[in-house]
Structures are given as C-alpha cells and as structure tokens.
Amino acid sequence: MYQANEKRYEHMEYRRVGKSGLKLPAVSLGLWHNFGDVDPMTNQKEIVLGAFDRGITHFDLANNYGPPYGSAEKNFGRILKEELSSYRDELIVSSKAGFDMWDGPYGEWGSKKYLVASCDQSLQRLGLDYVDIFYHHRPDPDTPLEETAHTLDLLVRQGKALYVGVSNYSAEQTKKIAALFKKMGTPFIIHQPRYNMLDRWIEDGLTDVLAEEGMGAIVFSPLAQGILTDRYLNGIPTDSRAARSDSRFLSAENVEPTIQLATKLNTIAKERYQTLAEMALAWNLRQQTVASVLIGASRLSQLEDNLKALDNLDFSGEELKEIEAVLSEYVG
C-alpha cells in the first residue's frame, strides 16, 4: 500500500484562489492526456503518486478526458481507491462538463439536463461523493446563462461540489455569470483559461474582471503544447506530435514561426539558470490573479523537470522588458 512522502509539502508553494479560502499548489497536474485506457496504468500511478509526493495536491479532469471519453476519470478513480483513499482530505479533485460527451441532443453544452447528468457520471467514475471544483467547460451560445448558473449553484447545494468555476469564458461572459452567482451566494471562485507567452488574451480584460470579482485563475497550456520547451528549438522532430500534424495547436505551420522566438527566449532563460519551460511557467505565475498553472506529463521525470520552475519565480524589471521585446515580435 502506498505511503506518501512525509516531506511532500516542504518544497511546494500554495496560493490562495482569489479572495476565497481555497489554496492551490502553484503547479497542478492536468489529466487531459496520458491517463486514458490507451495509457499504461503503471505509468499513470507513477505520475499521480509522484506528483502527490512532491506537494501537488490538485488533480484536474473533465468528463471527456481520455481516450476514450470518461476513461481518465475512471482511471484516476481507481488510483484514488487503491492508493490515495486515506489522503482524500489532502486532495483537490476537479472536473468539468461542456464539451461533447455522449450522443444525442443532451450530451454537451450547458443545459441543466446535461450538467446534472455529467456531474453525476463524473462522481460515479471517480468513486467520490463530491468534487472540490466543478467547472462549466465552455460557454453555451443557446442555453440561457441563468440556467447554467442556477445548475452549478444547485450542484453545490446538493453537496456534489464545494466550489464552481468556468473555463474558456470571455471577460464579459465571466462578469455576467459572476453577477448571477453573487445574487445566489454561490462559491464561484475560479476561471480556467488558456494562457501562455504566445496566447495572452486574458490580459485584455479577463484578469481585470477576476481581480474585481475576487476570483483566481488556473491556466492551461502554459507551455503552448510544448512549443515553449526545448522540444522544438532545433526544428520539428520527426517523432513529435507537430510532425504528425494531428494537433490543431501543434501543426507545422503554427510551430515553425515560433522556433526563432523560442530560441531567443531560451537565451534569456539560460541567463536565469532555467530551462525555457521553467521560465515560461514562472512567467505565467507572475500574474497576480494566477493561482496555479496546469501541466501535463507523460512521465514522472518530465513533471520533476517542470517543478524546478518554482526555484526561481522572481523576475527583474529588465528581464521582463527583454521578454516583452521578444514577444512583441510574435503575432499569433
């Protein structure tokens, strides 16, 4: 039976989510990839347990993570039951619903029908009575915002979620749903947007809304699907996902223009005694509203490398100017 590292909290930084009482580790583990039925369970356990041993207490899922859909929750639920059941109160487990999950007219978006069923299914797969955070995964252009907000509030009142959040909502959409939650007294505390050096859209209004509403952010794709690592500094490797062109984020036409930019950023990172990935993660965490960055890992050593970012989170004014000058050359 697994026994956690007694010193697991010594080297992790925990940040408050907005003005809420919840703290998240500066680095959280996302289970979007590498935790489906196509992935070896031995590797999944090594990554999850290794993460917890290093102070990562937050594990982020969604109903359709896999492949196939639902398998990441099922597999993480198995790890929880077999290895981490005695540590449940030390863990933050989150899930989401909003993208397509099952066939028919009720299998996606933001209706009460879909969200309640999705949450119930997620809890069953995870083997839990509640998740710590339940997100609406994307805004629904057709369902009234009031219906989505009331449903998320209902899940809290039913004891199925402790906190709620949204993902992929614009600044205006976030402000509107925050006003609805405020009237109901819902613990709406967090937003999960895509954010990195190459995709800075949250700086155009969303960070201001989060600050005004007393909310925090946990950002996904902080390394731009690997572009902000040393993976592509010397071109596109033949064994990379970009070479296979099966990712809309990592198509060759998206990666090639960024190679020169990444090389310049890597020079700055070396001066900080960091890898490019470490600096990119630290750069995300410089944002005051960002409580945590979500990283994925295909092996434990990759996770360990990324955690080294926490050794140097501070930037001088000159370093930020140098980084800004490089980024100004890039038009995504």
Side-chain angles (χ1 to χ4, degrees), residues 29-325:
L29 182 64
L31 279 70
W32 180 20
H33 297 297
N34 308 309
F35 291 87
D37 286 346
V38 298
D39 303 291
M41 177 54 69
T42 52
N43 191 53
Q44 294 184 41
K45 283 189 176 183
E46 183 180 24
I47 294 171
V48 169
L49 300 181
F52 186 53
D53 275 341
R54 289 154 181 79
I56 293 179
T57 54
H58 179 214
F59 299 89
D60 180 81
L61 298 115
N63 57 354
N64 63 352
Y65 286 178
Y69 289 173
S71 59
E73 289 182 326
K74 180 192 68 176
N75 291 330
F76 184 72
R78 175 180 165 185
I79 297 171
L80 277 174
K81 180 180 179 180
E82 295 179 356
E83 310 289 351
L84 290 171
S85 58
S86 62
Y87 301 98
R88 172 64 181 102
D89 292 337
E90 298 181 45
L91 303 176
I92 300 295
V93 180
S94 63
S95 194
K96 316 176 202 70
F99 284 95
D100 59 298
M101 181 59 191
W102 63 83
D103 293 336
Y106 319 117
E108 62 179 327
W109 295 110
S111 69
K112 185 175 183 178
K113 170 69 175 175
Y114 168 71
L115 291 176
V116 170
S118 286
C119 185
D120 287 345
Q121 290 180 17
S122 290
L123 292 176
Q124 185 176 20
R125 285 188 291 267
L126 290 165
L128 296 175
D129 296 324
Y130 70 93
V131 289
D132 298 276
I133 306 170
F134 190 77
Y135 295 87
H136 186 216
H137 209 165
R138 61 171 171 172
D140 183 341
D142 298 318
T143 298
L145 197 61
E146 291 80 3
E147 180 176 338
T148 298
H150 278 284
T151 304
L152 293 174
D153 179 74
L154 174 66
L155 295 176
V156 173
R157 296 183 187 279
Q158 290 178 333
K160 297 175 182 177
L162 301 185
Y163 304 92
V164 297
V166 296
S167 182
N168 299 303
Y169 272 54
S170 69
E172 182 181 2
Q173 290 165 332
T174 303
K175 194 171 186 66
K176 286 182 178 179
I177 200 167
L180 296 172
F181 284 131
K182 192 173 295 183
K183 291 180 180 178
M184 294 182 286
T186 314
F188 174 50
I189 66 168
I190 195 166
H191 191 302
Q192 188 176 131
R194 176 179 167 89
Y195 180 58
N196 56 61
M197 287 178 163
L198 307 181
D199 189 353
R200 304 173 63 177
W201 73 272
I202 71 171
E203 297 174 15
D204 294 330
L206 180 59
T207 52
D208 291 336
V209 170
L210 297 179
E212 291 167 5
E213 300 295 337
M215 297 173 59
I218 176 169
V219 298
F220 69 89
S221 295
L223 300 178
Q225 297 290 297
I227 295 175
L228 294 172
T229 69
D230 59 7
R231 179 72 164 147
Y232 300 99
L233 290 179
N234 298 312
I236 300 175
T238 56
D239 62 344
S240 68
R241 283 199 292 155
R244 296 197 305 268
S245 299
D246 61 354
S247 168
R248 63 189 177 94
F249 299 116
L250 289 182
S251 63
E253 63 181 15
N254 286 339
V255 173
E256 287 175 353
T258 67
I259 292 175
Q260 186 176 2
L261 174 138
T263 301
K264 292 179 180 179
L265 290 173
N266 190 52
T267 299
I268 301 173
K270 287 182 177 179
E271 293 172 353
R272 288 170 48 84
Y273 302 100
Q274 289 183 313
T275 64
L276 175 55
E278 290 166 20
M279 185 179 77
L281 292 173
W283 184 89
N284 279 310
L285 288 166
R286 92 200 188 288
Q287 274 283 356
Q288 290 187 348
T289 52
V290 173
S292 183
V293 292
L294 264 176
I295 61 171
S298 58
R299 59 190 183 280
L300 182 57
S301 60
Q302 183 182 27
L303 179 66
E304 292 173 325
D305 289 342
N306 285 335
L307 285 173
K308 294 175 183 176
L310 301 179
D311 295 337
N312 185 11
L313 293 176
D314 297 324
F315 290 87
S316 68
E318 186 59 33
E319 285 174 332
L320 290 174
K321 286 182 181 178
E322 289 180 24
I323 291 171
E324 198 64 39

